[in-house]
Structures are given as C-alpha cells and as structure tokens.
Amino acid sequence: MLLIKNGRMLDPASGADAPRDILLDGERIAAVGAPGELQSRASGADVLDASNLIVAPGFIDLHCHLREPGGENSETIETGTRAAARGGFTAVCPMPNTRPVNDNASVTRAIVERAAAVASVRVWPIGAVSVGSKGEALAEYAAMKQAGIVGVSDDGKPIATAKLLRSVMDDCNALDLPVIDHCEDSSLFAGAVMREGKQSVRLGLRGMPAATESLGVTRDIQIAELTGARLHIAHLSARESLEEVRAAKRKGLRVTCEVTPHHFTLTDEDVEYNTHYKMNPPLASREDRDALIAGLADGAVDAIATDHAPHEPALKDVEFERAPFGVTGFETALALALELVHAGKISLMRLVELFTVGPARVLGMTRRIAAGEPADLSIFSTDHAWTFYAAESASRSRNTPFDGRGFRGAPMATIVAGKIVYRRP
Ligand SMILES: [Zn+2]
Ligand SMILES: [Zn+2]
C-alpha cells in the first residue's frame, strides 16, 4: 500500500480542489480522505509526502512517436516512456509510423508486449488508417482494436481523399474508434519547411500558409458530419482551424482537437535556421498562438498533446531544408503549460483537465481520483525552479527548442498502477 498525504488534490471530473490523502492498494485507489483520515487504514503503508504539491489524475499524452520498431537510434519504447514518466505522463499513445507501420494486429501486439516488458508508463497504440499508411487499402481495425489500439491515424500523412476518409469513418464508427487526422492540403504543403509569412521571406525558406491545415480541417469536419464519426484533429496550429472546430462543436458534432506545447509557446518569429524549430505543422503566427491559448482556456481545445517526435542528432544536424520535421516534448510539456497558468491565461484546474479528462474523453474513457479507480496519478509542483537541459533528457534524442530554458513548476512523482515510476531527485 502507498499513502499519498498532505497533497492538494485537483480532480476535474468532480471539480474537487482540496487537501486530500489518497491510499493506493495494488493497482487501484483504495480510498480518498481528508488529511489524516486514512491513517488507521494505512498502517504499514509506504508514505509519499505531497506537501505543497498538486496531486492530479494520471496525465495522458494522445500523440507521440516512440520509434520502435524500426527507429531505435532515435527512441525506444523503454527510453521514450521513461521520458514520458519524467514528464508526468502515465499513459502515452504512440503513432503508427514505425517500421514496419502499425497497420495490423501482429505489429500492435508486438508493441503492447514490448511495452509490458520495458515501458515505464501505459502504452496505448494508435493503429494506421491504411496499409503501410499509403492511403490505399484500409487497415484491419477490428483486429487491431482487439490487440489494443485506441484510435486510428496515418499521422505524418493526411488522409488523402474525402472518399477514403468516409470509408475509414464508417468502419471506425462501427468500432467506436476515434479517427485522428494530421490535416493538410498536400498541394499547398509541397516543398514547404515553415509557415509562410514575413519570417519565411526574411529567411528565404519556402513557407506554407495556414490554409494548408485549415482546408484539411474543413473537409474532415464535413465528412464527420456526413458519417457521424468521432474525429480528432491532431496538433491543431492555426486560428482558422480552431474556428472550424468551434463551429463543429456548436453543431454538436463529435469533433475534438489537441494543441502542442510548442505551438502555444513559440511562433514563426522564433524560427531561424535552427532545425530544432522545424516541425509539422510549423510554428505559426502570434495571432494563431494567441487563438490557441484562448481555445485552451475556454474549452475549444480538448487536450494538450506533445507530438514528441525524437530524431537522432545526425538527422537534425543538417541544413534546415533537409532536416526531418519534429521535436521532443514529454519532459517540458507540463512546465510549458504552467507558464500559461503563471501568466494568468489558464487556470490550474483547466491545465489538469487538458492533461487528463480532456484526452481521456477523446479516447472514450474517464479519468478521476476515487476509490476503485486505477492508481495512476501525476504529482507536480507549481513553483519548483529548474532548468531543462536536453543532454540530461531520458529520451534518446536531443531535438528540442527548449534546451536551457528555465521553468517554474515541474513533475515531482509519477505513479502508474500503484507504482512510483518516476520521482524527482
Ligand atoms: Zn502529424
Ligand atoms: Zn506526430
């Protein structure tokens, strides 16, 4: 047994924000009580003192890349989930663009089995939309769902045609799986390496306009309306896209979206020729960033997701145009979100929601701190001062724009199925 005492519990599902002790027994929460109340039931239990700390439901990351199988020089399930645990995440959803692609149940099973052996946190894979993510034949969703997938996506590649998307949605509707799309109009995307604007002109780099994303979002929402399917927009970055999502929600469509920490923190003005600022979708304008923050605050955005995309140093150590898209993100996500809290832009409860019940809802799950629930908890400080150094990351890769950034607030302990999988030294 483990007793977490003296913490401030934030539980968005019940709205509770109060001092609470929490007793864990095996893989479940045994009891939640006022400070001191559980002492008699907890004799002999290990104790974790959470004084001055927030105790929240376990964080879920809807979008990451663990690179295994096939990309082990950049990340493995073991190293990636260790970084996730350090970031306060208790469950992560790896995208299927591994080698081989996770487009059938045997690959899904291999990932789930590997995770059971080496992962620090729960691994809930996303299956591919199409065989090889080639945008042609549909993957075998039912068998993959049985093997453990929680959604489908061809992330990295948009779902090519409306017709294909319609078939995918019809199939996934029957299985109650969310369809997660990396929205992009490929004709506008072609050859671009950053957002189109003053900065792309100044740097002489090929840019893509915001419409590259928002045209894709518009199409997807229309097909979601046609089919009634669950649509989740990956790494939404443009103001226009968010307006589409807002309108869809007003209509009552089952449309959700996620925003990454880099998109709510940085803008295209931060892009020089440093490849650690190259990701897709690219960093957007100030107006976009401010719109995303407004959406995080008012509920238009459902989840913060990292899009943790590790690349081994050699791949990023090339000219800007030639570098692959993507940055790491597990270990800095919470601290970047806390910057919004410190600036008074979102409430602390809203932050917790964006990492817990928000992503859970996208997956059709719940997340709460109550007796009988899984003992997955994220314990963090809102004021611990620290500096993130990429060289000290648990990830195999170092491609982050936040190397050397000072933060206030950090994950302090991460608990998965009743076990402490990370404790800040
Ligand atoms: Zn993507
Ligand atoms: Zn991605």
Side-chain angles (χ1 to χ4, degrees), residues 8-18 54-57 296-297 338 341 346-358 380:
R8 173 181 165 196
M9 181 183 86
L10 282 183
D11 183 40
S14 63
D17 176 354
I54 307 293
V55 181
L296 289 165
L338 282 168
V341 174
I346 65 170
S347 69
L348 192 56
M349 185 64 93
R350 183 67 191 136
L351 174 148
V352 171
E353 195 172 45
L354 285 159
F355 279 112
T356 59
V357 295
F380 63 95

mmCIF file of all heavy atoms in Angstrom, residues 8-18 54-57 296-297 338 341 346-358 380:
data_model
loop_
_atom_site.group_PDB
_atom_site.id
_atom_site.type_symbol
_atom_site.label_atom_id
_atom_site.label_comp_id
_atom_site.label_asym_id
_atom_site.label_seq_id
_atom_site.Cartn_x
_atom_site.Cartn_y
_atom_site.Cartn_z
ATOM 1 N N ARG A 8 -2.464 18.629 -2.375
ATOM 2 C CA ARG A 8 -3.663 19.353 -2.808
ATOM 3 C C ARG A 8 -4.198 18.600 -4.020
ATOM 4 O O ARG A 8 -3.569 18.596 -5.085
ATOM 5 C CB ARG A 8 -3.292 20.786 -3.181
ATOM 6 C CG ARG A 8 -4.445 21.586 -3.801
ATOM 7 C CD ARG A 8 -3.972 22.996 -4.156
ATOM 8 N NE ARG A 8 -4.898 23.676 -5.050
ATOM 9 C CZ ARG A 8 -4.598 24.769 -5.748
ATOM 10 N NH1 ARG A 8 -3.382 25.322 -5.652
ATOM 11 N NH2 ARG A 8 -5.496 25.326 -6.545
ATOM 12 N N MET A 9 -5.336 17.938 -3.845
ATOM 13 C CA MET A 9 -5.889 17.130 -4.922
ATOM 14 C C MET A 9 -6.708 17.990 -5.881
ATOM 15 O O MET A 9 -7.584 18.744 -5.461
ATOM 16 C CB MET A 9 -6.784 16.028 -4.340
ATOM 17 C CG MET A 9 -7.381 15.116 -5.393
ATOM 18 S SD MET A 9 -8.505 13.881 -4.685
ATOM 19 C CE MET A 9 -10.038 14.816 -4.646
ATOM 20 N N LEU A 10 -6.403 17.883 -7.156
ATOM 21 C CA LEU A 10 -7.196 18.546 -8.196
ATOM 22 C C LEU A 10 -7.806 17.447 -9.061
ATOM 23 O O LEU A 10 -7.076 16.708 -9.720
ATOM 24 C CB LEU A 10 -6.319 19.451 -9.062
ATOM 25 C CG LEU A 10 -5.911 20.816 -8.496
ATOM 26 C CD1 LEU A 10 -5.113 21.586 -9.536
ATOM 27 C CD2 LEU A 10 -7.132 21.622 -8.089
ATOM 28 N N ASP A 11 -9.115 17.350 -9.030
ATOM 29 C CA ASP A 11 -9.792 16.281 -9.771
ATOM 30 C C ASP A 11 -10.880 16.887 -10.663
ATOM 31 O O ASP A 11 -12.003 17.123 -10.210
ATOM 32 C CB ASP A 11 -10.408 15.284 -8.766
ATOM 33 C CG ASP A 11 -11.073 14.109 -9.465
ATOM 34 O OD1 ASP A 11 -10.518 13.621 -10.462
ATOM 35 O OD2 ASP A 11 -12.149 13.683 -9.009
ATOM 36 N N PRO A 12 -10.553 17.150 -11.924
ATOM 37 C CA PRO A 12 -11.512 17.863 -12.785
ATOM 38 C C PRO A 12 -12.860 17.151 -12.921
ATOM 39 O O PRO A 12 -13.886 17.821 -13.043
ATOM 40 C CB PRO A 12 -10.805 17.924 -14.145
ATOM 41 C CG PRO A 12 -9.363 17.719 -13.849
ATOM 42 C CD PRO A 12 -9.298 16.857 -12.622
ATOM 43 N N ALA A 13 -12.873 15.815 -12.867
ATOM 44 C CA ALA A 13 -14.134 15.088 -13.063
ATOM 45 C C ALA A 13 -15.156 15.467 -12.000
ATOM 46 O O ALA A 13 -16.348 15.597 -12.284
ATOM 47 C CB ALA A 13 -13.880 13.585 -13.053
ATOM 48 N N SER A 14 -14.705 15.657 -10.758
ATOM 49 C CA SER A 14 -15.638 16.012 -9.681
ATOM 50 C C SER A 14 -15.574 17.503 -9.365
ATOM 51 O O SER A 14 -16.390 18.012 -8.604
ATOM 52 C CB SER A 14 -15.294 15.227 -8.411
ATOM 53 O OG SER A 14 -14.003 15.585 -7.953
ATOM 54 N N GLY A 15 -14.579 18.185 -9.932
ATOM 55 C CA GLY A 15 -14.398 19.606 -9.627
ATOM 56 C C GLY A 15 -13.695 19.838 -8.289
ATOM 57 O O GLY A 15 -13.536 20.972 -7.858
ATOM 58 N N ALA A 16 -13.240 18.744 -7.648
ATOM 59 C CA ALA A 16 -12.641 18.880 -6.311
ATOM 60 C C ALA A 16 -11.269 19.535 -6.380
ATOM 61 O O ALA A 16 -10.432 19.182 -7.206
ATOM 62 C CB ALA A 16 -12.534 17.507 -5.657
ATOM 63 N N ASP A 17 -11.058 20.520 -5.513
ATOM 64 C CA ASP A 17 -9.760 21.165 -5.326
ATOM 65 C C ASP A 17 -9.616 21.328 -3.814
ATOM 66 O O ASP A 17 -10.135 22.291 -3.248
ATOM 67 C CB ASP A 17 -9.748 22.520 -6.043
ATOM 68 C CG ASP A 17 -8.454 23.296 -5.812
ATOM 69 O OD1 ASP A 17 -7.608 22.840 -5.012
ATOM 70 O OD2 ASP A 17 -8.303 24.374 -6.424
ATOM 71 N N ALA A 18 -8.962 20.351 -3.187
ATOM 72 C CA ALA A 18 -8.969 20.319 -1.723
ATOM 73 C C ALA A 18 -7.805 19.495 -1.199
ATOM 74 O O ALA A 18 -7.285 18.635 -1.916
ATOM 75 C CB ALA A 18 -10.281 19.688 -1.243
ATOM 76 N N ILE A 54 0.672 19.422 -6.038
ATOM 77 C CA ILE A 54 -0.637 19.107 -6.620
ATOM 78 C C ILE A 54 -0.686 17.608 -6.902
ATOM 79 O O ILE A 54 0.272 17.050 -7.457
ATOM 80 C CB ILE A 54 -0.826 19.854 -7.964
ATOM 81 C CG1 ILE A 54 -0.582 21.364 -7.820
ATOM 82 C CG2 ILE A 54 -2.192 19.543 -8.560
ATOM 83 C CD1 ILE A 54 -1.580 22.091 -6.986
ATOM 84 N N VAL A 55 -1.783 16.989 -6.543
ATOM 85 C CA VAL A 55 -1.986 15.578 -6.887
ATOM 86 C C VAL A 55 -3.135 15.529 -7.897
ATOM 87 O O VAL A 55 -4.261 15.927 -7.594
ATOM 88 C CB VAL A 55 -2.321 14.732 -5.649
ATOM 89 C CG1 VAL A 55 -2.489 13.265 -6.045
ATOM 90 C CG2 VAL A 55 -1.238 14.893 -4.580
ATOM 91 N N ALA A 56 -2.832 15.072 -9.101
ATOM 92 C CA ALA A 56 -3.803 15.073 -10.197
ATOM 93 C C ALA A 56 -3.971 13.649 -10.731
ATOM 94 O O ALA A 56 -3.114 12.797 -10.512
ATOM 95 C CB ALA A 56 -3.307 15.991 -11.324
ATOM 96 N N PRO A 57 -5.059 13.412 -11.470
ATOM 97 C CA PRO A 57 -5.164 12.116 -12.157
ATOM 98 C C PRO A 57 -3.975 11.961 -13.114
ATOM 99 O O PRO A 57 -3.358 12.951 -13.504
ATOM 100 C CB PRO A 57 -6.471 12.233 -12.943
ATOM 101 C CG PRO A 57 -7.232 13.344 -12.297
ATOM 102 C CD PRO A 57 -6.206 14.292 -11.755
ATOM 103 N N LEU A 296 -7.465 26.930 -25.410
ATOM 104 C CA LEU A 296 -7.089 26.100 -24.254
ATOM 105 C C LEU A 296 -7.874 26.554 -23.026
ATOM 106 O O LEU A 296 -8.322 25.749 -22.217
ATOM 107 C CB LEU A 296 -5.586 26.234 -23.967
ATOM 108 C CG LEU A 296 -4.630 25.573 -24.966
ATOM 109 C CD1 LEU A 296 -3.203 26.096 -24.769
ATOM 110 C CD2 LEU A 296 -4.641 24.057 -24.835
ATOM 111 N N ALA A 297 -8.047 27.878 -22.914
ATOM 112 C CA ALA A 297 -8.724 28.426 -21.735
ATOM 113 C C ALA A 297 -10.223 28.141 -21.748
ATOM 114 O O ALA A 297 -10.790 27.774 -20.722
ATOM 115 C CB ALA A 297 -8.474 29.932 -21.648
ATOM 116 N N LEU A 338 2.406 25.269 -17.465
ATOM 117 C CA LEU A 338 2.384 26.068 -16.235
ATOM 118 C C LEU A 338 2.754 27.525 -16.507
ATOM 119 O O LEU A 338 2.324 28.420 -15.780
ATOM 120 C CB LEU A 338 3.322 25.457 -15.184
ATOM 121 C CG LEU A 338 2.754 24.230 -14.441
ATOM 122 C CD1 LEU A 338 3.857 23.532 -13.638
ATOM 123 C CD2 LEU A 338 1.596 24.631 -13.525
ATOM 124 N N VAL A 341 -0.371 29.206 -16.865
ATOM 125 C CA VAL A 341 -1.033 29.411 -15.565
ATOM 126 C C VAL A 341 -0.400 30.600 -14.851
ATOM 127 O O VAL A 341 -1.106 31.483 -14.353
ATOM 128 C CB VAL A 341 -0.935 28.129 -14.701
ATOM 129 C CG1 VAL A 341 -1.489 28.384 -13.300
ATOM 130 C CG2 VAL A 341 -1.684 26.973 -15.371
ATOM 131 N N ILE A 346 -4.580 30.553 -18.250
ATOM 132 C CA ILE A 346 -5.499 29.436 -17.973
ATOM 133 C C ILE A 346 -5.438 29.128 -16.476
ATOM 134 O O ILE A 346 -4.446 29.438 -15.819
ATOM 135 C CB ILE A 346 -5.188 28.152 -18.794
ATOM 136 C CG1 ILE A 346 -3.829 27.543 -18.415
ATOM 137 C CG2 ILE A 346 -5.223 28.415 -20.289
ATOM 138 C CD1 ILE A 346 -3.592 26.159 -19.017
ATOM 139 N N SER A 347 -6.492 28.518 -15.961
ATOM 140 C CA SER A 347 -6.499 28.174 -14.532
ATOM 141 C C SER A 347 -5.756 26.860 -14.343
ATOM 142 O O SER A 347 -5.563 26.071 -15.280
ATOM 143 C CB SER A 347 -7.936 28.032 -14.034
ATOM 144 O OG SER A 347 -8.525 26.871 -14.612
ATOM 145 N N LEU A 348 -5.364 26.606 -13.106
ATOM 146 C CA LEU A 348 -4.663 25.360 -12.807
ATOM 147 C C LEU A 348 -5.587 24.154 -13.038
ATOM 148 O O LEU A 348 -5.157 23.116 -13.559
ATOM 149 C CB LEU A 348 -4.174 25.404 -11.353
ATOM 150 C CG LEU A 348 -3.176 24.332 -10.941
ATOM 151 C CD1 LEU A 348 -1.948 24.321 -11.844
ATOM 152 C CD2 LEU A 348 -2.763 24.545 -9.490
ATOM 153 N N MET A 349 -6.854 24.305 -12.680
ATOM 154 C CA MET A 349 -7.807 23.202 -12.906
ATOM 155 C C MET A 349 -7.935 22.901 -14.400
ATOM 156 O O MET A 349 -7.990 21.755 -14.816
ATOM 157 C CB MET A 349 -9.180 23.553 -12.315
ATOM 158 C CG MET A 349 -10.191 22.426 -12.391
ATOM 159 S SD MET A 349 -9.740 20.979 -11.407
ATOM 160 C CE MET A 349 -10.603 21.341 -9.869
ATOM 161 N N ARG A 350 -7.961 23.968 -15.195
ATOM 162 C CA ARG A 350 -8.066 23.779 -16.644
ATOM 163 C C ARG A 350 -6.818 23.061 -17.182
ATOM 164 O O ARG A 350 -6.909 22.177 -18.036
ATOM 165 C CB ARG A 350 -8.239 25.156 -17.306
ATOM 166 C CG ARG A 350 -8.431 25.138 -18.788
ATOM 167 C CD ARG A 350 -9.750 24.497 -19.231
ATOM 168 N NE ARG A 350 -9.687 24.299 -20.667
ATOM 169 C CZ ARG A 350 -10.083 23.194 -21.301
ATOM 170 N NH1 ARG A 350 -10.631 22.204 -20.641
ATOM 171 N NH2 ARG A 350 -9.955 23.093 -22.598
ATOM 172 N N LEU A 351 -5.656 23.435 -16.668
ATOM 173 C CA LEU A 351 -4.426 22.740 -17.083
ATOM 174 C C LEU A 351 -4.552 21.243 -16.804
ATOM 175 O O LEU A 351 -4.271 20.410 -17.668
ATOM 176 C CB LEU A 351 -3.216 23.321 -16.336
ATOM 177 C CG LEU A 351 -1.867 22.599 -16.561
ATOM 178 C CD1 LEU A 351 -0.711 23.590 -16.490
ATOM 179 C CD2 LEU A 351 -1.632 21.477 -15.568
ATOM 180 N N VAL A 352 -4.996 20.904 -15.596
ATOM 181 C CA VAL A 352 -5.104 19.484 -15.239
ATOM 182 C C VAL A 352 -6.099 18.790 -16.168
ATOM 183 O O VAL A 352 -5.870 17.680 -16.649
ATOM 184 C CB VAL A 352 -5.499 19.329 -13.752
ATOM 185 C CG1 VAL A 352 -5.824 17.872 -13.433
ATOM 186 C CG2 VAL A 352 -4.371 19.838 -12.851
ATOM 187 N N GLU A 353 -7.192 19.485 -16.453
ATOM 188 C CA GLU A 353 -8.193 18.917 -17.360
ATOM 189 C C GLU A 353 -7.597 18.600 -18.737
ATOM 190 O O GLU A 353 -7.844 17.549 -19.327
ATOM 191 C CB GLU A 353 -9.323 19.951 -17.497
ATOM 192 C CG GLU A 353 -10.590 19.439 -18.081
ATOM 193 C CD GLU A 353 -11.704 20.495 -17.984
ATOM 194 O OE1 GLU A 353 -11.474 21.684 -18.295
ATOM 195 O OE2 GLU A 353 -12.802 20.123 -17.584
ATOM 196 N N LEU A 354 -6.777 19.510 -19.241
ATOM 197 C CA LEU A 354 -6.198 19.357 -20.584
ATOM 198 C C LEU A 354 -5.216 18.185 -20.669
ATOM 199 O O LEU A 354 -4.918 17.687 -21.761
ATOM 200 C CB LEU A 354 -5.487 20.648 -21.000
ATOM 201 C CG LEU A 354 -6.437 21.782 -21.397
ATOM 202 C CD1 LEU A 354 -5.741 23.139 -21.294
ATOM 203 C CD2 LEU A 354 -6.979 21.565 -22.804
ATOM 204 N N PHE A 355 -4.700 17.757 -19.501
ATOM 205 C CA PHE A 355 -3.780 16.616 -19.490
ATOM 206 C C PHE A 355 -4.462 15.315 -19.048
ATOM 207 O O PHE A 355 -3.844 14.262 -19.056
ATOM 208 C CB PHE A 355 -2.611 16.882 -18.535
ATOM 209 C CG PHE A 355 -1.513 17.747 -19.110
ATOM 210 C CD1 PHE A 355 -1.279 19.030 -18.617
ATOM 211 C CD2 PHE A 355 -0.692 17.280 -20.128
ATOM 212 C CE1 PHE A 355 -0.253 19.826 -19.125
ATOM 213 C CE2 PHE A 355 0.338 18.057 -20.647
ATOM 214 C CZ PHE A 355 0.563 19.338 -20.150
ATOM 215 N N THR A 356 -5.730 15.404 -18.610
ATOM 216 C CA THR A 356 -6.341 14.202 -18.008
ATOM 217 C C THR A 356 -7.721 13.883 -18.593
ATOM 218 O O THR A 356 -7.818 13.115 -19.539
ATOM 219 C CB THR A 356 -6.432 14.380 -16.472
ATOM 220 O OG1 THR A 356 -7.217 15.545 -16.166
ATOM 221 C CG2 THR A 356 -5.051 14.539 -15.851
ATOM 222 N N VAL A 357 -8.776 14.522 -18.053
ATOM 223 C CA VAL A 357 -10.115 14.160 -18.540
ATOM 224 C C VAL A 357 -10.316 14.556 -19.998
ATOM 225 O O VAL A 357 -11.066 13.902 -20.721
ATOM 226 C CB VAL A 357 -11.250 14.755 -17.670
ATOM 227 C CG1 VAL A 357 -11.227 14.170 -16.277
ATOM 228 C CG2 VAL A 357 -11.184 16.252 -17.610
ATOM 229 N N GLY A 358 -9.621 15.608 -20.446
ATOM 230 C CA GLY A 358 -9.741 16.032 -21.849
ATOM 231 C C GLY A 358 -9.296 14.937 -22.805
ATOM 232 O O GLY A 358 -10.088 14.445 -23.624
ATOM 233 N N PHE A 380 2.740 17.066 -9.016
ATOM 234 C CA PHE A 380 3.649 18.094 -9.529
ATOM 235 C C PHE A 380 3.675 19.334 -8.651
ATOM 236 O O PHE A 380 2.793 19.562 -7.824
ATOM 237 C CB PHE A 380 3.315 18.460 -10.984
ATOM 238 C CG PHE A 380 1.954 19.084 -11.214
ATOM 239 C CD1 PHE A 380 1.803 20.473 -11.258
ATOM 240 C CD2 PHE A 380 0.832 18.302 -11.421
ATOM 241 C CE1 PHE A 380 0.560 21.059 -11.493
ATOM 242 C CE2 PHE A 380 -0.416 18.872 -11.643
ATOM 243 C CZ PHE A 380 -0.556 20.254 -11.687
#
